[in-house]
């Protein structure tokens, strides 16, 4: 996997990678990560990726991270780990 660029964001660490004919967008928040793959043929250039990360999309990413944290906490409690 080849690192292409970091996409600045105040809340998340966002990295753009290229691998196997796809662009991979990795969004990290603490111990959690969301990954999105886009076929290179669907975009003219990697510079188009940041425009996909608009406010509406990132609000949903934020909500998904919250849900991931809740799910993780709940499974820990259910299984007497946390």
């Amino acid at each position: 996997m080849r690192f292409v660029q970091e996409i600045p964001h105040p809340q998340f660490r966002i990295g753009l990678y290229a691998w196997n004919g796809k662009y991979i967008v990795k969004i990290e928040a603490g111990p959690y990560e969301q990954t999105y793959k886009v076929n290179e043929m669907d975009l003219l250039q990697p510079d188009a990726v940041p425009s996909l990360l608009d406010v509406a999309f990132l609000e949903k990413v934020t909500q998904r991270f919250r849900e991931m944290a809740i799910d993780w906490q709940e499974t820990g409690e259910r299984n007497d780990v946390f």
Side-chain angles (χ1 to χ4, degrees):
M1 187 165 20
R2 179 178 61 84
F3 178 77
V4 177
Q5 73 180 76
E6 185 147 342
I7 300 169
H9 190 272
Q11 186 176 0
F12 306 124
R13 179 177 176 161
I14 304 175
L16 178 63
Y17 301 83
W19 182 71
N20 204 21
K22 295 183 180 359
Y23 291 119
I24 299 170
V25 179
K26 285 186 168 191
I27 306 171
E28 299 176 50
Y32 305 109
E33 176 180 287
Q34 294 178 44
T35 304
Y36 298 86
K37 297 178 184 176
V38 181
N39 191 318
E40 285 182 358
M41 301 305 280
D42 291 343
L43 299 175
L44 298 176
Q45 55 189 341
D47 295 343
V49 172
S51 66
L52 297 172
L53 307 176
D54 62 10
V55 171
F57 176 77
L58 290 173
E59 284 176 359
K60 291 189 176 208
V61 166
T62 301
Q63 180 59 38
R64 224 169 265 116
F65 277 129
R66 286 187 192 118
E67 292 168 1
M68 291 169 74
I70 290 167
D71 292 345
W72 188 246
Q73 184 65 37
E74 287 175 351
T75 193
E77 291 170 359
R78 239 187 348 266
N79 293 287
D80 294 322
V81 176
F82 302 135

